[in-house]
Amino acid sequence: MKQLKVIVYAICKNEEKFVKRWMASMREADAVYVADTGSEDNTVALLRQAGAVVNEINVTPWRFDTARNQSLSFVPEDADICVCTDLDEVLEPGWRKALEAAWQPGLTTRARYHYTWSFTQEGKPDVYFLLDKVHIRCGYRWTHPVHEVLTYQNGAEHYTDVPGMQLNHYPDHEKSRAQYLPLLELSVKEQPDDDRNRHYLGREYLYYGEWDKCIATLQQHLAMPRAVWRDERAASMRYIARAFREKGELTAAQGWYYRAIAEAPYLREGYAEQAILAYHQGNDALTVAMVSEALKITKQPVSYISEGFCYDSTLYDIGSVCAARLGMMRQAAEWGEQALRLAPQDARIRDNVKFFYKMLENLPKL
């Protein structure tokens, strides 16, 4: 079988600090094409020195889909596989071999692979899911001003999963996301029937502290005929609950968390956020009940809906504290040990575990 021609393409602006690392991780490609959207630092020079083909473009008014489509237009049409990444991402070595092994020429149009969106302070994967920004050269266009997606225009897509292909995200937390909100508002205006955009807009209002807009927008999302993915519906319900919580309307928040649990009882997130709310309200019994239910779900889903705090020490920690206050010392010790295993440097949790076992020693013998 002839070797496939694999091309990486990207957009960038003022990302000189990422160039060396990014280019090193992309070196398995046959070529790298970058559309620079107006860098004022050394990004362009560094990319060219490292071997990338750089085209400088101007996108006014700014839209991510327009920029990505221009970037894709520079990729030679004889490319077999196009790999779209950003400069704050890193492909782990061996990605090309894994991609070519899974790719089915003449059949595959798009590939899915593992994506770590965030890491814990200890460097462990926090939020991760499947991403699908690898595709054939012709037939695809990017759509939506922000949170842009690939749209196939030549009929049915054929996805191929790529075991062993891993992309990691190391974002620049100092970079502003101020452009996201107006672009999401524009996206909803352009395509009012798109449930995904409305969900993201509601979430963005949450990030901005626009509690009433968040609640109204996400309730609109839940009423849309196309909003049928239960995981995302449950996420909208949780975001509504968070907004009510921030408004001080805790009964409403609790009700929306219960609705999220009912919508997707197979996900930890609803139970976890209800447990955290109950913990801060001093409701030990409800906290223990919700932690118990959450921990029955043992497998973290590969979905962007997954929240890292649902699988770190948080649930074991608050559960152990509340169990101890209820006199459930054996349960407190068990959960405390699990919390310490996940957060071994946390002195408070370590002291809690010592206290739990001391209390167990003082319990009367049966």
Side-chain angles (χ1 to χ4, degrees), residues 16-30:
E16 61 182 5
K17 61 184 174 182
F18 295 135
V19 169
K20 183 177 180 181
R21 183 186 67 187
W22 182 73
M23 285 295 294
S25 78
M26 303 297 150
R27 67 163 57 99
E28 296 176 26
D30 293 299

Side-chain angles (χ1 to χ4, degrees), residues 71-225:
S71 175
L72 176 57
S73 73
F74 299 126
V75 175
E77 292 195 1
D78 64 347
D80 295 300
I81 304 176
C82 302
V83 179
C84 181
T85 72
D86 290 322
L87 270 69
D88 60 359
E89 298 170 337
V90 173
L91 278 166
E92 292 189 358
W95 63 267
R96 175 171 182 153
K97 183 177 180 181
L99 179 57
E100 288 192 308
W103 195 267
Q104 298 174 278
L107 181 61
T108 301
T109 62
R110 193 166 173 179
R112 285 184 291 241
Y113 47 93
H114 197 281
Y115 181 61
T116 305
W117 186 81
S118 64
F119 292 84
T120 65
Q121 291 183 343
E122 295 77 26
K124 298 179 181 178
D126 186 30
V127 175
Y128 52 86
F129 48 90
L130 294 177
L131 199 62
D132 53 7
K133 295 183 179 180
V134 172
H135 57 92
I136 57 174
R137 173 62 180 84
C138 297
Y140 278 100
R141 284 191 61 79
W142 292 92
T143 60
H144 304 320
V146 67
H147 289 301
E148 61 281 14
V149 296
L150 280 166
T151 302
Y152 193 49
Q153 301 175 320
N154 290 351
E157 292 181 277
H158 183 87
Y159 282 85
T160 294
D161 291 327
V162 186
M165 184 174 181
Q166 171 75 45
L167 182 66
N168 298 323
H169 182 222
Y170 302 100
D172 182 355
H173 294 292
E174 297 179 359
K175 183 174 286 188
S176 171
R177 59 180 293 129
Q179 60 190 335
Y180 276 56
L181 181 54
L183 287 174
L184 274 167
E185 290 174 331
L186 174 62
S187 189
V188 168
K189 182 178 180 180
E190 288 182 348
Q191 294 185 288
D193 295 331
D194 190 298
D195 57 295
R196 173 181 176 272
N197 287 341
R198 199 169 297 265
H199 169 77
Y200 281 141
L201 177 59
R203 186 181 70 174
E204 200 71 16
Y205 283 136
L206 180 69
Y207 294 158
Y208 274 81
E210 297 276 2
W211 313 128
D212 292 331
K213 286 185 178 180
C214 166
I215 292 166
T217 302
L218 291 175
Q219 287 179 334
Q220 291 167 4
H221 167 251
L222 293 170
M224 298 178 73

Side-chain angles (χ1 to χ4, degrees), residues 277-341:
L277 177 61
Y279 175 77
H280 288 295
Q281 290 181 296
N283 190 335
D284 296 336
L286 182 57
T287 303
V288 168
M290 290 294 102
V291 168
S292 297
E293 291 302 313
L295 295 179
K296 290 177 182 178
I297 301 167
T298 58
K299 187 175 181 181
Q300 184 172 1
V302 183
S303 165
Y304 88 91
I305 297 299
S306 178
E307 304 267 10
F309 68 84
C310 296
Y311 293 88
D312 63 11
S313 63
T314 302
L315 289 175
Y316 291 109
D317 180 22
I318 65 174
S320 68
V321 171
C322 292
R325 291 199 292 237
L326 291 171
M328 304 166 59
M329 299 312 302
R330 288 184 176 83
Q331 183 66 83
E334 178 185 330
W335 281 347
E337 280 192 343
Q338 291 292 337
L340 188 60
R341 180 180 62 82

